[in-house]
Amino acid sequence: VTEPVESAARVRSIVREARERGQRVGLVPTMGALHAGHVELIKQCRAQTDFVIVSIFVNPTQFGLGEDFGRYPRPLEHDLRQCESAGVDLVFAPSVPTVYPHGSSSTFVEVPGLSDVLEGASRPGHFRGVTTVVLKLFELVRPDLAIFGQKDFQQQAVIRRMVEDLHVPVELAVVPTVRGPDGLALSSRNRYLNPEERQAATVLFRALSRAMQAVAAGERQAEQVRQILRETLESEPLVKLNYAEVADAETLEPLGNLSKERAAVALLAARIGTTRLIDNALLSVVRCPL
Ligand code: PAF
């Protein structure tokens, strides 16, 4: 099993050597508990770079008080095996003091606005933790390309904005959400669901599918699409809706109408028992020509 690298100096020198060999370096930032969704990110990274690094770091600053930092799964041996069989060149698994040498409230980076809506409104400080750790990982690894999943749609939008605003020299790529056969988006948090909750959780994808179908059939009123999302979710008694939004895919501003001019995304968050799940789907207003 691949030995993880913990030290900043070591990861830097390995990356420098890869660059000297003329290799393009890719980074897949993760919090571990790897599943098929992560494997897809690694595959895409492999296809676009020559030296693939997976970081595994359960970042304390993106968890709020009362959230699942303590119980977040940390199956390191399993993760290392997954990385090895996916052809990862290096696993970077830094400690908290390596990432936060002066403690976790020393220096931070924040993208106001984009970070304050949707997930940010429900989880104050979450995106500040995400942008801070992602910038640190970019500085530690200096990748040419970094890959994120569409599942965390707002996260990739916030990170993209940070990279543009701070002129961080990294290319970003987003990989479509990987789903189970019943449509449930793969997530490390799905393991918290009991079988009944797991079944109920499929309503998120049903709601998004109905929204996509309505738009494909000609619906252009965002409020009607929100209504479809809400009604579908509310039909499942175990699910407590947090938000159902139809927003501009870049600015995340709520939309009035859907049009070809602005890419739109439907975003959902719901609680099932003690587990909070999110999902999203891009809404294409271009009719399928077939
Ligand atoms: O998406 C995640 O797993 C995390 O938010 C990330 C990007 C690794 C930052 O901790």
Side-chain angles (χ1 to χ4, degrees):
V1 174
T2 324
E3 259 312 294
V5 168
E6 218 207 282
S7 105
R10 180 100 187 96
V11 79
R12 283 229 175 88
S13 84
I14 293 172
V15 169
R16 198 172 42 244
E17 283 162 22
R19 282 250 163 64
E20 281 165 8
R21 292 194 294 272
Q23 291 183 308
R24 183 169 141 85
V25 176
L27 173 67
V28 181
T30 81
M31 297 204 302
L34 304 181
H35 51 64
H38 295 110
V39 173
E40 188 57 32
L41 302 184
I42 295 168
K43 233 195 251 167
Q44 294 295 328
C45 194
R46 265 256 74 91
Q48 296 182 50
T49 62
D50 312 299
F51 192 86
V52 175
I53 300 176
V54 169
S55 64
I56 298 180
F57 180 67
V58 184
N59 173 36
T61 66
Q62 69 188 78
F63 291 80
L65 275 178
E67 288 189 359
D68 55 346
F69 177 66
R71 69 163 176 152
Y72 198 85
R74 292 163 171 86
L76 187 61
E77 287 303 314
H78 160 271
D79 289 347
L80 294 177
R81 279 196 299 276
Q82 292 268 79
C83 287
E84 190 170 73
S85 61
V88 170
D89 296 291
L90 176 75
V91 175
F92 179 43
S95 65
V96 173
T98 295
V99 176
Y100 293 98
H102 297 284
S104 56
S105 48
S106 188
T107 299
F108 62 86
V109 55
E110 188 160 23
V111 179
L114 269 183
S115 297
D116 302 326
V117 297
L118 302 163
E119 283 303 284
S122 301
R123 306 179 66 189
H126 169 67
F127 286 117
R128 181 175 125 168
V130 169
T131 40
T132 299
V133 81
V134 169
L135 187 61
K136 284 165 174 280
L137 291 168
F138 287 171
E139 283 299 319
L140 286 161
V141 174
R142 304 265 171 104
D144 298 294
L145 174 76
I147 309 245
F148 295 90
Q150 189 193 321
K151 157 88 188 346
D152 295 296
F153 191 88
Q154 187 174 4
Q155 169 170 279
Q156 63 78 32
V158 171
I159 291 169
R160 186 173 299 282
R161 180 69 65 84
M162 172 187 77
V163 162
E164 288 174 10
D165 281 344
L166 299 181
H167 306 283
V168 183
V170 64
E171 191 187 319
L172 301 179
V174 175
V175 172
T177 305
V178 177
R179 300 180 179 281
D182 56 6
L184 182 65
L186 298 194
S187 161
S188 306
R189 291 190 168 99
N190 290 351
R191 68 184 67 197
Y192 300 152
L193 301 168
N194 68 31
E196 204 188 346
E197 291 171 341
R198 172 79 179 63
Q199 172 59 36
T202 60
V203 77
L204 272 77
F205 184 61
R206 272 202 307 288
L208 292 170
S209 302
R210 283 191 190 150
M212 287 188 282
Q213 278 158 16
V215 174
E219 182 58 74
R220 294 293 176 266
Q221 299 290 317
E223 194 45 39
Q224 292 300 318
V225 180
R226 285 184 199 104
Q227 185 65 21
I228 292 168
L229 293 169
R230 282 194 296 262
E231 278 175 12
T232 312
L233 281 154
E234 282 160 6
S235 72
E236 175 48 71
L238 289 183
V239 172
K240 201 165 164 288
L241 176 63
N242 187 181
Y243 59 75
E245 190 52 276
V246 174
D248 180 296
E250 209 179 305
T251 64
L252 300 181
E253 282 160 358
L255 288 173
N257 292 309
L258 300 173
S259 72
K260 281 203 207 62
E261 281 66 50
R262 293 177 88 179
V265 60
L267 302 129
L268 295 177
R271 196 170 280 285
I272 304 178
T274 57
T275 308
R276 194 164 171 283
L277 296 179
I278 58 171
D279 202 351
N280 69 83
L282 289 163
L283 299 172
S284 169
V285 300
V286 184
R287 266 170 207 270
C288 176
L290 300 173

